[in-house]
């Protein structure tokens, strides 16, 4: 039986960051599609129309920020793992994001290489429970 490929969404207004993350994600066997949103409105539109397994969300976005995306996901009960990515590597943002349901918080400067490993671990854990 073939395993279903994951749909992952990158929410970041930096094209360079989005391209780097997309490249990393498409290098994973379990990822079938990577969606991109540059702001809150596009991210919420995609979430309303697509079944997304994982989101990588930047905190600093034009208009409503990534924390507002977390709040909306928490409020609606959308079933996806959210991983925050930011240059704001401090405990204040980490605590807010964790309290709103973010599974992980990555520092853009240091943690890109950890993303495939974490997603792979989450996928393996989910498959083991199924």
């Amino acid at each position: 039986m073939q395993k279903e490929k994951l749909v992952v969404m990158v929410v970041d207004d930096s094209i360079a960051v989005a391209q780097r993350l997309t490249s990393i994600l498409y290098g994973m066997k379990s990822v079938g599609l990577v969606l991109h949103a540059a702001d809150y409105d596009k991210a919420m539109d995609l979430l309303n129309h697509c079944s997304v397994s994982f989101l990588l969300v930047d905190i600093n976005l034009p208009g409503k920020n990534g924390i507002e995306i977390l709040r909306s996901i928490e409020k609606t009960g959308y079933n996806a793992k959210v991983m925050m990515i930011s240059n704001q590597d401090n405990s204040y943002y980490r605590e807010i994001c964790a309290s709103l349901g973010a599974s992980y918080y990555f520092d853009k400067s240091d943690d890109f290489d950890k993303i495939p490993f974490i997603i792979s671990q989450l996928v393996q854990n989910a498959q083991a429970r199924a």
Side-chain angles (χ1 to χ4, degrees):
M1 180 179 346
Q2 187 166 339
K3 297 175 186 167
E4 190 173 319
K5 297 269 185 171
L6 301 173
V7 176
V8 180
M9 185 189 313
V10 174
V11 184
D12 199 308
D13 61 322
S14 167
I15 297 300
V17 170
Q19 287 175 338
R20 183 171 176 205
L21 284 170
T22 299
S23 176
I24 289 169
L25 292 165
Y26 274 130
M28 299 178 63
K29 292 179 184 176
S30 59
V31 174
L33 178 63
V34 179
L35 303 172
H36 175 245
D39 59 32
Y40 174 92
D41 292 332
K42 179 67 173 178
M44 297 314 294
D45 184 52
L46 286 170
L47 285 174
N48 287 328
H49 294 95
C50 302
S51 180
V52 177
S53 303
F54 296 98
L55 287 92
L56 292 145
V57 181
D58 186 17
I59 288 179
N60 293 318
L61 298 170
K64 292 183 179 181
N65 63 31
I67 293 171
E68 291 303 318
I69 292 172
L70 266 177
R71 284 191 176 110
S72 294
I73 290 171
E74 181 187 45
K75 187 184 292 185
T76 61
Y78 193 88
N79 189 24
K81 295 282 185 192
V82 180
M83 295 168 248
M84 301 304 290
I85 52 174
S86 182
N87 287 323
Q88 305 293 328
D89 189 27
N90 63 53
S91 61
Y92 173 76
Y93 285 111
R94 285 181 184 273
E95 289 171 18
I96 288 174
C97 293
S99 72
L100 292 171
S103 300
Y104 293 91
Y105 189 102
F106 297 106
D107 179 353
K108 285 184 181 180
S109 301
D110 297 324
D111 296 335
F112 269 83
D113 295 337
K114 296 177 185 176
I115 292 170
F117 175 77
I118 297 296
I119 291 176
S120 293
Q121 291 296 337
L122 292 169
V123 169
Q124 288 175 3
N125 292 343
Q127 290 171 344
R129 286 191 301 267

